Amino acid sequence: MAEGIPALLLPQPVKVHEVRHTKIFINNEWHTSISGRTFPTFNPATGAKICDVEEADKEDVDKAVQAARAAEQRGSPWRRMDASSRGRLLHQLADLMERDRRLLATLETLDTGKPFLQSFFIDLDGSIKTLRYYAGWADKIHGKSLPVDESFMCFTKHEPVGVCGAIIPWNFPLLMFMWKMAPALSCGNTVVIKPAEQTPLTALHIGALIKEAGFPPGVVNIVPGFGPTAGASIASHMDIDKVAFTGSTEIGQLIKEASAKSNLKRVTLELGGKNPCIVFADCDLQLAVEETQKGAVYNQGQCCTAASRIFVEESIYEEFVRRSIETAKKIVIGDPLDPQTSHGPQISRQQFDKIMDLIESGKEEGARLEYGGSAVGEKTLYIQPTIFSGVKDHMRIAKEEVYNLFQFTTDGSDTGMEIFGPVQCIFSFKRQQEAIERANNSKYGLVSAVFTTSMDRALTVSAALETGTVWINCYNALHAQTPFGGYKMSGNGRELGEYALAEYSEVKAVTIKLSETL
Ligand code: ADP
């Protein structure tokens, strides 16, 4: 991102002496937790505590839900507001985020360890564009008039679902917040949002901007806290009408179960993947090398879209591996607040240990370690970008489940969830049909990618891939206009695009008896 640009010309982080917003945000006011508890949030780059944050639990979630319910009642300022005014408020929030962009990017980097320019450009751009996209939709959400049988007239209306819960992961705290909040508000809902316990800071700053933008009290409520307490309270709450979750498959299953056992609230889930890339010999090789590597190690590999299984046609396999190593050497590991850095630390010790364990088991089982494979420095959370090739039939490291890294099966087929670390696993294939079968041989189906210069092949293979997104000659190409979500166990429902509006609307059919057929 920073390549070739003098450091002085790059946007710079702001100096954060003290984090201003660390409390629970309900009804446009800041609250201490009912239990009196707080929890610390840490900078993964240094291990230093950034600040303590008020810890929301069930009682605080109840309070937030009451506020959100009151704000969405018929006759409330939010429900009476013109749809176009809702859109204006969303634009107003986007303007304030642009004003505070450097501060938000700095907070995101402090809390997650992701490189500052990535926060500044990718996360902030994506968040602001998502808001503006749904701001535009607010007064364009409408039903249909239907040609029903006999002497009736029927039309449909799209109404808000009501109070929407959102549970956010730590890898893209601000972006995932916006993917959920923006369509929910565009459709006229109110929200109760729980940021991940590792990364609550940008969400809380957004609370301040929500108030400044002029949203009525109770429309947006933010409850920082832990998963099994605050998160579980949202999932099982009797007065929440819908919950949107991004995170691990295990927790996604718990959320769906909690919904079933409580009030059958609507559930959308964006879970993991074990995402295949198929690289054909006729591709633009350098492009394929760079994009697949970006796919594997971007955000320190902590992406549900991570390119976990890279299948390369046999005739270009060696050259692909060689160039992947050369490209990996250009990755700049360093202080995430330095705009020249392109690779930061993992989020936590727990994640770091799991990834290192799996890298070690990969080495022991005889996968060829082509590059990296070690921690960087002593007692840090940095892991070198790592490349494994030469995956052989007998290798088997771990099976299934989150973080049980790469199971080197005989053919690179279903290997459980993504590694969530900066590790690239490169397999080879001989025939197109074989590559498709191996790519689809997974219980997940989030994203996939195809690299080829043949449009015919690109379309044929993309039709055969069982994933919610197929990227052709690109990777991680996400846009506010494009729906995102998974097939199979990668989730339910879609975020982004017009499709997401359906997840945040109820459809009401109104049928009128007429005295005669029109
Ligand atoms: P990760 O393992 O990557 O942290 P999780 O799926 O555990 O991913 O976390 C994603 C989000 O889900 C976080 O906000 C977390 O607090 C929340 N969460 C974790 N456990 C639960 C749970 N039992 N119920 C509801 N939310 C949870």
Side-chain angles (χ1 to χ4, degrees):
M1 224 178 314
E3 239 170 277
I5 305 175
L8 272 177
L9 297 182
L10 294 171
Q12 301 290 322
V14 295
K15 291 213 178 341
V16 179
H17 297 297
E18 195 176 287
V19 178
R20 266 179 288 161
H21 303 295
T22 58
K23 293 190 175 166
I24 299 168
F25 185 74
I26 298 176
N27 254 334
N28 281 2
E29 285 160 6
W30 299 103
H31 298 251
T32 51
S33 65
I34 292 172
S35 69
R37 284 198 306 272
T38 59
F39 65 98
T41 181
F42 295 96
N43 176 351
T46 61
K49 183 169 101 173
I50 306 170
C51 60
D52 288 308
V53 172
E54 294 294 321
E55 182 189 329
D57 205 332
K58 183 179 179 312
E59 291 71 27
D60 308 280
V61 170
D62 287 344
K63 209 160 105 179
V65 173
Q66 275 169 22
R69 179 60 71 199
E72 76 85 41
Q73 290 294 321
R74 261 166 223 295
S76 67
W78 181 240
R79 279 300 278 267
R80 289 200 347 256
M81 187 180 286
D82 289 339
S84 60
S85 303
R86 283 205 310 270
R88 274 182 67 92
L89 275 180
L90 287 169
H91 272 304
Q92 178 68 16
L93 177 61
D95 291 344
L96 294 175
M97 286 178 69
E98 273 170 7
R99 182 195 71 190
D100 288 359
R101 186 176 185 142
R102 283 201 307 143
L103 173 60
L104 281 163
T106 307
L107 289 175
E108 196 76 322
T109 288
L110 278 176
D111 228 6
T112 61
K114 64 174 73 191
F116 174 74
L117 288 193
Q118 181 189 314
S119 300
F120 186 87
F121 285 114
I122 298 181
D123 297 61
L124 262 295
D125 248 20
S127 300
I128 292 166
K129 283 184 173 173
T130 302
L131 269 179
R132 295 208 185 281
Y133 173 79
Y134 285 108
W137 265 115
D139 59 357
K140 298 165 196 71
I141 298 165
H142 52 71
K144 298 175 179 178
S145 112
L146 309 172
V148 291
D149 290 351
E150 303 164 14
S151 51
F152 293 95
M153 189 205 160
C154 181
F155 65 91
T156 57
K157 278 179 76 186
H158 293 190
E159 298 190 344
V161 177
V163 177
C164 296
I167 300 175
I168 312 293
W170 48 259
N171 55 351
F172 292 92
L174 193 54
L175 197 61
M176 294 301 106
F177 185 110
M178 291 304 156
W179 281 21
K180 292 168 178 54
M181 186 186 76
L185 298 186
S186 177
C187 294
N189 299 282
T190 59
V191 293
V192 174
I193 304 186
K194 190 195 87 60
E197 54 272 33
Q198 298 87 343
T199 55
L201 298 184
T202 46
L204 294 175
H205 189 80
I206 295 295
L209 301 189
I210 288 281
K211 184 171 181 173
E212 188 180 344
F215 282 88
V219 170
V220 176
N221 306 278
I222 305 166
V223 286
F226 290 87
T229 51
S233 308
I234 290 175
S236 62
H237 207 287
M238 291 302 289
D239 204 27
I240 290 184
D241 303 295
K242 182 235 152 78
V243 62
F245 169 80
T246 298
S248 60
T249 307
E250 300 170 293
I251 305 296
Q253 287 177 311
L254 286 181
I255 305 264
K256 212 161 177 180
E257 191 183 3
S259 157
K261 287 187 171 160
S262 55
N263 63 345
L264 284 174
K265 60 180 65 60
R266 281 126 192 75
V267 178
T268 48
L269 301 173
E270 200 267 273
L271 310 175
K274 195 71 193 175
N275 308 300
C277 297
I278 306 181
V279 182
F280 288 98
D282 68 357
C283 71
D284 174 337
L285 186 58
Q286 192 56 28
L287 174 90
V289 164
E290 287 172 14
E291 289 294 299
T292 54
Q293 186 162 92
K294 192 177 78 185
V297 306
Y298 180 70
N299 206 37
Q300 292 69 247
Q302 303 166 138
C303 300
C304 54
T305 58
S308 314
R309 298 180 295 149
I310 302 171
F311 297 101
V312 179
E313 196 164 351
E314 201 175 49
S315 60
I316 57 163
Y317 185 78
E318 277 178 26
E319 178 64 6
F320 183 93
V321 172
R322 192 189 67 74
R323 289 205 199 187
S324 296
I325 298 165
E326 290 311 307
T327 311
K329 288 180 185 162
K330 295 185 196 143
I331 293 172
V332 183
I333 303 173
D335 174 3
L337 287 171
D338 178 346
Q340 300 289 350
T341 294
S342 58
H343 188 86
Q346 307 306 127
I347 187 75
S348 64
R349 177 64 51 196
Q350 194 194 14
Q351 291 292 321
F352 174 94
D353 287 345
K354 284 175 183 163
I355 298 161
M356 287 312 297
D357 264 7
L358 283 154
I359 290 177
E360 285 311 313
S361 70
K363 291 181 198 167
E364 278 162 23
E365 295 212 350
R368 198 155 52 239
L369 178 64
E370 300 278 2
Y371 187 76
S374 304
V376 181
E378 298 274 305
K379 293 191 183 153
T380 75
L381 299 180
Y382 286 84
I383 298 178
Q384 291 176 319
T386 296
I387 302 174
F388 277 108
S389 75
V391 178
K392 293 283 184 333
D393 287 6
H394 65 275
M395 297 175 188
R396 181 181 168 281
I397 294 175
K399 199 168 168 68
E400 299 301 326
E401 296 312 330
V402 191
Y403 309 121
N404 275 350
L405 277 211
F406 33 176
Q407 172 201 8
F408 286 138
T409 54
T410 55
D411 57 358
S413 62
D414 189 333
T415 51
M417 282 281 285
E418 66 271 63
I419 297 166
F420 251 64
V423 181
Q424 220 181 333
C425 296
I426 311 178
F427 302 82
S428 84
F429 73 91
K430 287 195 173 74
R431 290 173 302 104
Q432 176 172 310
Q433 189 53 29
E434 169 209 342
I436 292 170
E437 282 167 17
R438 288 164 65 185
N440 283 340
N441 189 4
S442 169
K443 64 185 180 198
Y444 297 105
L446 191 60
V447 302
S448 57
V450 184
F451 291 86
T452 174
T453 47
S454 157
M455 194 45 71
D456 184 62
R457 172 175 284 146
L459 292 176
T460 306
V461 177
S462 65
L465 287 169
E466 295 161 359
T467 56
T469 293
V470 183
W471 286 308
I472 296 172
N473 295 327
C474 56
Y475 208 88
N476 276 341
L478 295 159
H479 300 102
Q481 300 84 354
T482 310
F484 180 79
Y487 283 25
K488 306 191 222 174
M489 285 186 76
S490 287
N492 300 151
R494 291 292 178 270
E495 299 196 289
L496 301 182
E498 185 180 355
Y499 291 87
L501 298 172
E503 314 282 359
Y504 289 94
S505 316
E506 287 287 10
V507 178
K508 179 177 279 176
V510 180
T511 300
I512 306 155
K513 177 79 175 105
L514 302 173
S515 52
E516 57 185 282
T517 307
L518 289 176

